[in-house]
Amino acid sequence: MQTAGYTEVILKELQTVLSSIEDSEADKMVEALLASKKIFVAGGGRSGFMAKSFVMRLMHIGLDPYIVGETVTPNLDADDIFVVASGSGETQSFVAMTEKARKIGAIVAAVTINPDSTIGKLGDIVVEIPAQAKAEGDSGKSIQPMGSLFEQSLLLFFDAVILKIMEKKSLTSQTMYGRHANLE
C-alpha cells in the first residue's frame, strides 16, 4: 500500500474512534479542569508524550498544569484534578497514583480504552477512547501496531478539550501565544 493509502486508513480509524467518545464525560472533564486549582496529568510511553502536549496547551490557556513525575511538580491537594491517560487502565504505577489521588480527595479523570479497568473504576470522570490496546495486537480494530490508535486519539481528544476550554474562556490562539516560551 502507498503511504497515502495508509494515511487514509489511519484517518478513518481515528474518525471512528473519536466519534464514539461520550460528549457528556468530555464536558465533565472540561468543567473539572476549569474548577480545579492545579491540574496533574500522568501517562507513560507515547501516551506520556500526548499528556505532555496537553499540559503545554493547558499552560498556554493560563491554567496551572503539571506532569506527574517532573522535578518541579508540586503536591496534589483535594481541590486539584488528576488526569491519568492509560490505554489498558491497569498499569500498576498509574493504578497506585490514581489510588493516592482518590485518597487525597482530588478529582480523578481517567482517559482509557477500558472503563471497567482498575483505573477506570477509580475515576470520578471516565472518558472512554474505544481504540485498540497494545496487547490486542492484530485484533482487526486497527492496521497500526500496538497502542498507536489510542495514542493518536488521545492527542486529538486532548486538543478538542483545549478548544472547548478556549471557547468557554473566549480565548484565541493570539492570546495563548503570549504565554508561549520566548527564551529561544
Side-chain angles (χ1 to χ4, degrees):
M1 187 181 300
Q2 298 278 343
T3 303
Y6 282 125
T7 303
E8 198 172 301
V9 173
I10 290 168
L11 290 172
K12 285 178 185 173
E13 290 179 356
L14 287 166
Q15 179 65 41
T16 299
V17 168
L18 293 166
S19 66
S20 300
I21 294 172
E22 289 291 327
D23 273 337
S24 61
E25 289 300 300
D27 290 342
K28 286 181 197 174
M29 186 168 149
V30 167
E31 293 304 322
L33 289 165
L34 288 169
S36 297
K37 185 175 177 187
K38 295 186 302 281
I39 301 165
F40 295 81
V41 184
R46 285 171 45 118
S47 296
F49 292 135
M50 306 312 157
K52 286 182 178 184
S53 68
F54 183 48
V55 166
M56 177 186 274
R57 287 291 184 251
L58 290 168
M59 179 273 299
H60 290 150
I61 283 176
L63 301 178
D64 194 15
Y66 299 91
I67 290 289
V68 174
E70 295 291 333
T71 56
V72 297
T73 303
N75 60 315
L76 178 77
D77 295 313
D79 52 359
D80 298 330
I81 184 171
F82 175 66
V83 179
V84 56
S86 173
S88 69
E90 298 294 345
T91 305
Q92 286 305 302
S93 57
F94 295 122
V95 168
M97 288 178 203
T98 305
E99 290 171 339
K100 186 164 188 176
R102 295 260 331 167
K103 186 176 179 180
I104 290 169
I107 292 174
V108 171
V111 186
T112 182
I113 294 168
N114 185 4
D116 294 323
S117 64
T118 304
I119 290 172
K121 289 177 182 175
L122 289 167
D124 299 297
I125 301 162
V126 183
V127 178
E128 179 183 0
I129 296 184
Q132 172 178 296
K134 277 189 285 195
E136 289 181 318
D138 299 321
S139 68
K141 287 185 184 178
S142 178
I143 65 164
Q144 301 179 73
M146 303 172 67
S148 292
L149 182 57
F150 172 72
E151 296 143 1
Q152 294 158 354
S153 298
L154 188 61
L155 177 64
L156 294 175
F157 168 71
F158 283 156
D159 279 350
V161 167
I162 293 299
L163 288 170
K164 284 179 163 246
I165 294 171
M166 287 175 66
E167 181 181 11
K168 285 187 169 292
K169 294 183 75 170
S170 299
L171 295 173
T172 65
S173 286
Q174 193 60 39
T175 308
M176 292 168 59
Y177 192 74
R179 293 186 187 96
H180 194 277
N182 62 3
L183 295 175
E184 288 104 26

